[in-house]
Amino acid sequence: MKTEYYTSVIRIKGSKTHNMVPVKSDRPVDRSYFIDISKVLSRIYVGVPLAKGDIICSNILNIGVNIIVTKTVES
């Protein structure tokens, strides 16, 4: 099983300058979960403000991995 950090973007509401924010997993994930994680995150909108390191989705797919923000976004 090959593991990597999952990276993506999610949509945000309430920011005048940004529509999306980059996110990543807080630890390596088996690549077989990547498509399922993408499906879950495609349904999520988050509000601002966001700080780097904020948890967007904890224990995604019940695999013990959190999805965190990698950029600070103000309103």
Side-chain angles (χ1 to χ4, degrees):
M1 292 191 294
K2 184 168 179 166
T3 61
E4 297 179 20
Y5 282 91
Y6 174 85
T7 60
S8 185
V9 293
I10 59 168
R11 296 173 285 190
I12 59 176
K13 290 183 177 181
S15 174
K16 297 176 184 173
T17 57
H18 296 83
N19 293 327
M20 303 187 121
V21 65
V23 296
K24 73 170 192 166
S25 60
D26 64 351
R27 65 183 185 88
V29 179
D30 188 298
R31 290 186 68 176
S32 65
Y33 290 113
F34 279 19
I35 292 175
D36 292 329
I37 292 171
S38 295
K39 288 178 183 178
V40 170
L41 294 180
S42 72
R43 297 181 182 105
I44 294 176
Y45 280 88
V46 294
V48 290
L50 295 168
K52 184 177 180 179
D54 283 353
I55 296 175
I56 296 302
C57 188
S58 63
N59 195 19
I60 193 163
L61 301 177
N62 293 321
I63 58 173
V65 174
N66 299 319
I67 303 298
I68 60 172
V69 175
T70 61
K71 180 180 179 179
T72 298
V73 178
E74 301 296 328
S75 37

